[in-house]
Amino acid sequence: MAVMGFLSSSSSPSSCIPSLSSPLSHRSRFSVAKLKPLSIASMSEDPIREWILSEGKATQITGIRSIGGGCINLASRYDTDAGSFFVKTNRSIGPSMFEGEALGLNAMYETQSIRVPKPFKVGSLLTGGSYIIMEYIEFGGSRSNQAALGRKLAEMHKAGKSTTGFGFDVDNTIGSTPQKNTWTSDWIEFYGVHRLGYQLKLARQQYGDSLIYERGERLVKKMRPLFDGAVIEPCLLHGDLWSGNISSDKNGDPVILDPACYYGHNEAEFGMSWCAGFGGSFYDAYFEVIPKQPGFEERMDLYKLYHYLNHYNLFGSGYRSSSMSIIDDYLRMLDP
């Protein structure tokens, strides 16, 4: 979960339950460290320290402070004579998870729209696991202004476009669940296969829940009319935009973090609205930049369904009824 007052502490499962805690190219670049031989100098045995004292332009680390961690990663603030850095580590997972996060952060950063922490380095720890070093952002005392958040988010969606289709250069994670981002030319196919379909299969595998799988697959096959009249372009999405991943900096400007980025229909960004606290001023400001599409209200629950299913797969049966209710409501609407 996010640790307010500091940059978010992990790519944590996106649960609302605290205890569960010019168009730009779609290709982003960041620094990926290679595993160092164990026999080299002692400083290289700590690749985080090595990067900070070389490419990070610091000559001295003045303090290292733990700032908590979520269910997945540990987080630390490194204070130096060149400023502060935010570092996340995971002792059991290789660098691919952080690579996906860094690619997403960098893609959002390059839109020059909404503030995100700039990623600097991803690599492997010699003792096992991985790390990511990024810009440290000092948070303000309260969450960002809703209108500013809506406007800035829409500006990111407008600036971040893909000519390749819907998807992303790498698979990443939504919480700790793998998120498949295979490039697909058709949005409805992408959302049906790589979002709803993947979660439905996972529910069947984990819980033997054939009922939700069968009804969900019926919805996937029938859902195309929900998009009639909508113009759908592949926009850069944060992908996991809930309250724990939204804050503001010391100037009161909105900050978003811990992404699960991909290029998709802009409306899919609101799938976590049930625990993001978006109000009327947020949507009003957003639609001033990107106008509302026909059928927006009818699709809202369809985009929530992906996240309800993910919560079901991550946290158990408490989210099953919400998922099933959405599926059944749509089947009643779409069945002749």
Side-chain angles (χ1 to χ4, degrees):
M1 306 294 289
V3 176
M4 304 310 292
F6 300 98
L7 187 63
S8 174
S9 60
S10 73
S11 297
S12 60
S14 53
S15 173
C16 294
I17 302 175
S19 63
L20 294 175
S21 20
S22 67
L24 299 170
S25 167
H26 66 264
R27 295 192 177 273
S28 303
R29 301 186 183 279
F30 64 97
S31 180
V32 179
K34 294 182 178 180
L35 193 65
K36 302 291 185 181
L38 289 171
S39 58
I40 65 176
S42 60
M43 187 173 71
S44 297
E45 293 174 3
D46 183 348
I48 299 170
R49 177 181 174 87
E50 178 185 21
W51 185 90
I52 288 173
L53 295 177
S54 55
E55 295 177 63
K57 305 294 192 268
T59 61
Q60 182 182 12
I61 296 174
T62 58
I64 303 173
R65 184 189 317 172
S66 173
I67 52 176
C71 304
I72 305 173
N73 306 308
L74 299 177
S76 301
R77 169 180 171 172
Y78 281 64
D79 294 320
T80 80
D81 57 355
S84 296
F85 298 92
F86 180 76
V87 178
K88 291 197 291 189
T89 58
N90 188 297
R91 297 291 177 177
S92 59
I93 300 176
S96 61
M97 179 181 70
F98 287 143
E99 178 183 350
E101 179 178 356
L103 282 168
L105 286 170
N106 207 44
M108 293 192 296
Y109 184 87
E110 287 180 353
T111 68
Q112 294 297 295
S113 52
I114 193 167
R115 189 170 186 189
V116 299
K118 181 175 175 57
F120 297 129
K121 189 76 166 181
V122 169
S124 298
L125 296 169
L126 296 184
T127 54
S130 55
Y131 68 90
I132 180 171
I133 305 171
M134 65 183 82
E135 174 190 8
Y136 179 83
I137 298 176
E138 190 76 52
F139 285 174
S142 61
R143 285 187 59 198
S144 63
N145 176 278
Q146 286 273 301
L149 176 63
R151 183 178 65 256
K152 292 288 188 179
L153 186 65
E155 289 171 358
M156 184 184 84
H157 291 166
K158 194 170 184 177
K161 301 289 188 181
S162 168
T163 58
T164 306
F166 301 96
F168 202 55
D169 281 336
V170 298
D171 294 339
N172 46 30
T173 57
I174 181 81
S176 60
T177 306
Q179 181 168 261
K180 301 299 182 182
N181 294 317
T182 305
W183 289 109
T184 307
S185 60
D186 180 76
W187 167 249
I188 300 172
E189 178 186 349
F190 177 88
Y191 192 67
V193 173
H194 300 301
R195 292 297 178 263
L196 297 183
Y198 184 86
Q199 294 285 348
L200 289 166
K201 288 178 182 177
L202 193 58
R204 185 176 61 175
Q205 291 169 4
Q206 287 197 139
Y207 306 122
D209 196 339
S210 296
L211 182 60
I212 199 168
Y213 172 80
E214 291 166 3
R215 290 188 184 176
E217 283 296 323
R218 281 176 56 202
L219 171 58
V220 168
K221 292 174 183 176
K222 292 174 176 288
M223 67 183 185
R224 189 167 290 271
L226 294 170
F227 297 87
D228 288 349
V231 177
I232 302 173
E233 296 180 322
C235 301
L236 178 62
L237 307 181
H238 175 282
D240 191 16
L241 201 61
W242 68 289
S243 59
N245 292 341
I246 303 168
S247 191
S248 60
D249 62 18
K250 292 190 296 184
N251 297 322
D253 294 324
V255 179
I256 57 175
L257 40 114
D258 281 353
C261 285
Y262 64 100
Y263 290 87
H265 186 199
N266 66 302
E267 293 175 11
E269 193 77 282
F270 310 133
M272 282 292 288
S273 60
W274 48 283
C275 59
F278 298 147
S281 61
F282 168 87
Y283 288 108
D284 289 345
Y286 183 92
F287 290 132
E288 285 179 6
V289 179
I290 298 181
K292 184 190 295 188
Q293 291 282 313
F296 169 77
E297 286 80 6
E298 287 73 26
R299 289 185 294 271
M300 285 190 71
D301 281 351
L302 189 69
Y303 289 133
K304 291 177 184 177
L305 178 58
Y306 172 58
H307 296 279
Y308 275 122
L309 287 169
N310 186 47
H311 277 61
Y312 175 32
N313 286 316
L314 286 173
F315 306 121
S317 60
Y319 293 94
R320 184 183 186 276
S321 62
S322 297
S323 302
M324 188 64 84
S325 177
I326 291 174
I327 292 170
D328 286 344
D329 285 348
Y330 275 117
L331 288 177
R332 283 190 291 270
M333 178 193 305
L334 296 168
D335 274 338

